[in-house]
């Protein structure tokens, strides 16, 4: 051979620098492990990142409801755990095969350390939850609901105003019952410095309108009706009481006007107290000797009015306040008239003396639980603490797990509400009076009940955890509920959603200052 020889092409690393493959493990296996680990970590990162995108979360909730969102969130959570687990395992395997295997003195410490660290990685993956955007979300939904009721405000004369029963019959003008419900919802919701002046003006005009249609003993279903109804008086008194509670931005009444506002409220509270039956409940009309005339809804709304009044410092401190015992008697009547359903859990029906066998009435049951929880916090329920604890335990269990006829609140359709039946609309011996066929909405009152129960001083650790889960589920369904309210031509569902959301936000401010 002549001339210079071309240098050898280097195709392999010198022996000292070459990492020998593990005996019996081909290179393709190590590459597969590496790629699996990389893809696992990438999948985990994406799974953690996606739920943080508030717009995606909201779009899923609004477009497909909570179940679609929960499915997405659950899948992301599973991918997070599996991805981090795969990445951790594959990373440990690569370190072992490429380095530890050649340094036997590190073999045992490495295997022990990897095994000890694995549970911490697993629990870390479980704790990677999306950052909460529920606070801004519920504030935004509250603004949408308030804007909707503002659009349905109508002036009624120079000094009066009110709210339509439905947006498609605006020509009929405002209605007293709807106006009282909307005022209660608006006043229960937290106020803002920007919107408070307009709110105050409309509340004053609306209360003036309600006063202008007052009958000698209150208000009826229709403006000007001579037969007055307990629950309408209760809603009006609730709105009057909330208007007397303190506000950080602007009170509804000036100091010079508070006296007359309190006088009107005390007039209505005396009327309500006079309608209480001897055994503690209320009926839609003045009390009679027939206990069958008492109704759950009449009792609940009456107690709501007394509780709202008692929460106002200037009312509770007035020498005319004498109704604490009436509130306790009403609470006792409610607890005694809880009805055991087919699955064993107790709840309430519109007429406690007629037992139904179809489904449940979660809307009314939740409204009762909200009132009882409020009484428990304000006055206590002794000697019925144990009975209330039993009712509370059964109620929370049904909300979370459901039972044979009761869908859990995570899966329950928002329009799955019970309604007063024809057979429950009549009072024996009162042929000229018929109860309105009310619909009892489950979502707003369940939100109010769960929130109010969270403030109880007598909760177990398990109950507090369960209430936190239920509150999270309900709050995440708020966009779904708001969308239904915005599409509804009837205004009272929006008013009740405002009330329930207002209770939740005010209690949250107390529990998490």
């Amino acid at each position: 051979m002549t001339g210079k020889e071309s240098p050898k092409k280097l195709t392999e690393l010198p022996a000292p620098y070459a990492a020998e493959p593990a005996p019996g493990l081909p290179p393709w296996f190590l590459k597969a492990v590496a790629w699996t680990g990389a893809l696992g970590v990438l999948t985990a990162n994406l799974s953690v990142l996606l739920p943080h995108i508030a717009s995606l979360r909201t779009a899923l909730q609004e477009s497909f409801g909570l179940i679609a969102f929960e499915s997405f969130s659950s899948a992301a959570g599973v991918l997070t755990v599996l991805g981090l687990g795969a990445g951790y395992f594959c990373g440990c395997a690569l370190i072992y095969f490429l380095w530890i295997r050649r340094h036997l003195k590190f073999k045992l410490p490495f295997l022990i350390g990897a095994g000890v660290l694995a549970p911490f990685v697993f629990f870390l993956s479980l704790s990677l939850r999306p950052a909460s955007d529920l606070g801004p979300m519920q504030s935004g939904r509250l603004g949408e609901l308030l804007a909707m009721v503002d659009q349905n405000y109508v002036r009624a004369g120079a000094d009066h105003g009110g709210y339509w029963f439905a947006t498609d019959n605006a020509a009929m003008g405002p209605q007293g019952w709807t106006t009282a419900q909307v005022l209660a919802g608006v006043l229960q919701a937290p106020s803002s410095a920007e919107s408070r002046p307009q709110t105050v003006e409309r509340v004053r005009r609306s209360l003036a309108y309600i006063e202008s249609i007052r009958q000698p003993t209150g208000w009826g279903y229709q403006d000007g009706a001579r037969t007055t109804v307990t629950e309408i008086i209760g809603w009006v008194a609730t709105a009057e009481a909330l208007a007397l509670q303190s506000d950080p931005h602007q009170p509804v009444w000036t100091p010079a006007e508070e006296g007359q506002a309190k006088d009107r409220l005390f007039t209505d509270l005396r009327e309500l107290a006079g309608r209480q039956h001897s055994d503690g409940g209320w009926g839609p009309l003045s009390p009679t000797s027939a206990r069958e005339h008492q109704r759950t809804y009449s009792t609940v709304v009456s107690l709501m009015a007394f509780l709202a009044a008692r929460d106002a410092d200037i009312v509770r401190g007035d020498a005319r306040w004498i109704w604490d015992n009436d509130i306790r008697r009403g609470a006792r009547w409610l607890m005694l008239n809880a009805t055991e359903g087919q699955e064993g859990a107790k709840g309430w029906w519109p007429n406690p003396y007629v037992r139904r066998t179809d489904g449940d009435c979660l809307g009314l049951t939740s409204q009762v639980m909200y009132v009882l929880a409020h009484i428990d916090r304000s006055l206590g329920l002794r000697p019925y603490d144990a009975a209330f604890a039993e009712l509370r335990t059964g109620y929370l269990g049904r909300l979370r797990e459901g039972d044979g006829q009761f869908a859990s609140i995570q899966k329950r359709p928002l329009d799955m509400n019970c309604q007063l039946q024809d057979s429950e609309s009549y009072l024996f011996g009162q042929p000229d009076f018929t109860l309105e066929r009310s619909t009892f909405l489950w979502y707003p009152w369940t939100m109010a009940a769960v929130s109010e129960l969270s403030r109880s001083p007598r909760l177990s650790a398990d109950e507090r955890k369960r209430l936190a889960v239920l509150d999270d589920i309900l709050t995440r369904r708020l966009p779904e509920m708001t969308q239904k309210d915005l599409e509804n031509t009837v205004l009272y569902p929006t008013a009740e959603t405002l009330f329930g959301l207002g209770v939740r936000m005010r209690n949250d401010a107390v529990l998490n200052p």
Side-chain angles (χ1 to χ4, degrees), residues 394-424:
Y395 174 70
L396 296 181
R398 295 179 79 193
L399 290 183
R400 188 68 183 99
E401 285 89 27
D403 58 31
Q405 295 190 0
F406 185 104
S408 69
I409 60 170
Q410 188 168 356
K411 300 178 181 178
R412 187 184 185 95
L414 291 175
D415 54 3
M416 187 178 176
N417 302 302
C418 74
Q419 190 176 40
L420 197 71
Q421 295 181 348
D422 288 337
S423 60
E424 299 167 325

Side-chain angles (χ1 to χ4, degrees), residues 12-27:
E12 296 181 354
L13 288 172
Y17 302 98
E20 297 178 8
L25 295 177

Side-chain angles (χ1 to χ4, degrees), residues 354-367:
V354 177
R355 179 174 177 175
R356 287 196 198 176
T357 58
D358 58 319
D360 62 80
C361 197
L362 177 57
L364 194 54
T365 294
S366 292
Q367 199 165 358

Side-chain angles (χ1 to χ4, degrees), residues 74-96:
S74 299
V78 170
L79 289 174
T80 299
V81 175
L82 293 179
L84 285 176
Y88 176 77
F89 174 79
C90 294
C92 290
L94 283 175
I95 293 173
Y96 176 81

Side-chain angles (χ1 to χ4, degrees), residues 182-418:
V182 170
L183 289 182
V186 168
L187 290 167
Q188 185 67 255
S191 64
S192 65
E194 298 77 17
S195 62
R196 184 65 179 177
Q198 176 179 284
T199 299
V200 166
E201 179 200 2
R202 292 187 171 181
V203 168
R204 291 166 62 96
R205 286 178 173 274
S206 298
L207 287 173
Y209 163 70
I210 290 175
E211 187 63 24
S212 72
I213 59 173
R214 176 193 288 271
Q215 300 301 309
T217 58
W219 298 265
Y221 287 130
Q222 302 298 328
D223 296 356
R226 304 299 297 178
T227 301
T228 57
V229 181
T230 300
E231 36 267 54
I232 315 303
I233 303 170
W235 275 110
V236 171
T238 299
E240 291 173 332
L242 291 171
L244 283 165
Q245 293 183 10
S246 59
D247 185 86
H249 303 298
Q250 181 182 344
V252 172
W253 307 112
T254 66
E257 297 168 328
E258 280 182 353
Q260 289 185 340
K262 282 200 298 181
D263 290 343
R264 291 191 292 270
L265 173 59
F266 275 101
T267 297
D268 297 330
L269 293 177
R270 281 192 293 269
E271 176 64 29
L272 285 175
R275 289 174 175 245
Q276 189 175 25
H277 286 238
S278 58
D279 52 350
W282 275 263
L285 304 176
S286 297
T288 66
S289 59
R291 72 186 185 99
E292 294 81 5
H293 288 171
Q294 296 171 100
R295 292 292 186 272
T296 307
Y297 186 64
S298 303
T299 302
V300 164
V301 177
S302 298
L303 289 172
M304 279 176 50
F306 282 110
L307 290 168
R310 197 180 188 282
D311 284 345
D313 294 337
I314 63 172
V315 176
R316 187 176 65 254
D318 194 293
R320 292 173 289 178
W321 177 261
I322 55 171
W323 294 296
D324 282 358
N325 193 49
D326 300 80
I327 295 173
R328 293 190 180 96
R329 290 172 55 221
R332 176 181 177 274
W333 184 88
L334 286 173
M335 287 193 286
L336 289 176
N337 285 281
T339 303
E340 188 170 300
Q342 291 183 343
E343 304 297 328
K346 289 186 176 180
W348 285 265
W349 292 100
N351 184 349
Y353 307 106
V354 177
R355 179 174 177 175
R356 287 196 198 176
T357 58
D358 58 319
D360 62 80
C361 197
L362 177 57
L364 194 54
T365 294
S366 292
Q367 199 165 358
V368 172
M369 290 301 296
Y370 161 68
V371 165
L372 290 177
H374 197 157
I375 296 171
D376 185 39
R377 175 172 61 85
S378 301
L379 289 167
L381 287 170
R382 293 180 182 175
Y384 306 107
D385 290 338
F388 181 58
E390 181 184 351
L391 290 170
R392 182 177 65 226
T393 300
Y395 174 70
L396 296 181
R398 295 179 79 193
L399 290 183
R400 188 68 183 99
E401 285 89 27
D403 58 31
Q405 295 190 0
F406 185 104
S408 69
I409 60 170
Q410 188 168 356
K411 300 178 181 178
R412 187 184 185 95
L414 291 175
D415 54 3
M416 187 178 176
N417 302 302
C418 74

